[in-house]
Amino acid sequence: NAGVTQTPKFQVLKTGQSMTLQCAQDMNHEYMSWYRQDPGMGLRLIHYSVGAGITDQGEVPNGYNVSRSTTEDFPLRLLSAAPSQTSVYFCASSLNGAGTQYFGPGTRLLVL
Amino acid sequence: GDSVTQMEGPVTLSEEAFLTINCTYTATGYPSLFWYVQYPGEGLQLLLKATKADDKGSNKGFEATYRKETTSFHLEKGSVQVSDSAVYFCALSDRDGANSKLTFGKGITLSVRP
């Protein structure tokens, strides 16, 4: 099992550009989520999904879109990047929201 | 809403010292409690968990006991090693079935000197 994979590992964007952060898992987990990690803030939930075709907002959803067309994939889209979105992004998956979450290695994003 | 409060860091210890990292929580109902660890340059991984009051989670020499009366889940290790240097996050999840979410504390950086 590869577990949870994320691409790219590092990305630099200019303000206003768009991009998609990829996340995939091969554990057949129904629950997937995206977090951002900022210094002194811990991890904050951006969006989550309890299964294919179902997504919901977390604590900090503004500026981000998600979709879940398959169980395996949960991409995060930035439609118009802003410097405030400079952060490290983690994708996670689990059997359900109450269980142990398995994290990907993260994507470090810098928006200039 | 739910919240997790961790002691302020960073923490620097000498090898073989005793470690305590405090964590308290606020939640409705009976959450599950977790400690996650993030080694440098990596994602988070589960260190230990407890799902009900008085449960003790343990792993790699670390322990934490779910104390409902004090709403705490403090992390302890009797003798830390240099390899324990990492960021430690306390977290809780409610038990709202499929819609449960993890709430994290801010994390604390532990550095262990040889």
Side-chain angles (χ1 to χ4, degrees):
Chain A
N1 281 355
V4 179
T5 58
Q6 292 183 237
T7 56
K9 288 186 191 269
F10 181 69
Q11 183 72 46
V12 179
L13 290 179
K14 294 181 180 177
T15 297
Q17 287 185 316
S18 64
M19 80 161 294
T20 299
L21 281 64
Q22 301 292 345
C23 174
Q25 53 92 9
D26 61 0
M27 296 174 282
N28 203 32
H29 286 167
E30 290 294 327
Y31 188 99
M32 295 186 75
S33 52
W34 276 102
Y35 297 87
R36 59 177 291 173
Q37 182 180 23
D38 302 291
M41 303 291 288
L43 274 77
R44 293 181 291 171
L45 182 65
I46 305 171
H47 286 286
Y48 66 101
S49 169
V50 300
I54 307 169
T55 63
D56 206 347
Q57 296 181 349
E59 182 184 354
V60 288
N62 292 343
Y64 307 95
N65 281 350
V66 292
S67 60
R68 184 95 180 270
S69 56
T70 67
T71 299
E72 294 77 21
D73 300 299
F74 191 44
L76 179 72
R77 295 183 185 84
L78 284 70
L79 297 178
S80 179
S84 61
Q85 293 178 304
T86 293
S87 187
V88 182
Y89 292 85
F90 289 101
C91 179
S93 75
S94 61
L95 287 173
N96 58 62
T100 300
Q101 295 205 15
Y102 296 84
F103 284 80
T107 293
R108 187 174 295 273
L109 177 67
L110 174 62
V111 183
L112 302 174
Chain B
D2 296 346
S3 67
V4 175
T5 302
Q6 292 184 231
M7 58 184 278
E8 296 284 328
V11 173
T12 302
L13 296 174
S14 297
E15 204 165 25
E16 299 184 2
F18 184 84
L19 169 71
T20 299
I21 301 177
N22 289 343
C23 171
T24 57
Y25 67 90
T26 302
T28 55
Y30 302 94
S32 294
L33 301 174
F34 304 83
W35 277 100
Y36 281 84
V37 59
Q38 182 180 30
Y39 297 104
E42 298 182 10
L44 280 72
Q45 56 185 273
L46 179 70
L47 181 59
L48 52 84
K49 68 178 181 181
T51 58
K52 61 182 187 296
D54 299 325
D55 266 3
K56 178 186 282 188
S58 61
N59 186 26
K60 299 182 181 181
F62 291 89
E63 292 183 340
T65 301
Y66 190 143
R67 301 285 188 201
K68 187 170 182 294
E69 64 276 15
T70 55
T71 61
S72 65
F73 193 53
H74 303 324
L75 182 68
E76 296 183 336
K77 187 174 185 182
S79 176
V80 294
Q81 305 300 313
V82 172
S83 57
D84 294 326
S85 297
V87 182
Y88 292 82
F89 293 91
C90 186
L92 68 82
S93 73
D94 57 48
R95 292 173 183 265
D96 190 22
N99 284 321
S100 294
K101 295 180 284 292
L102 267 184
T103 300
F104 284 89
K106 292 185 177 181
I108 186 169
T109 300
L110 170 66
S111 298
V112 181
R113 299 186 296 244

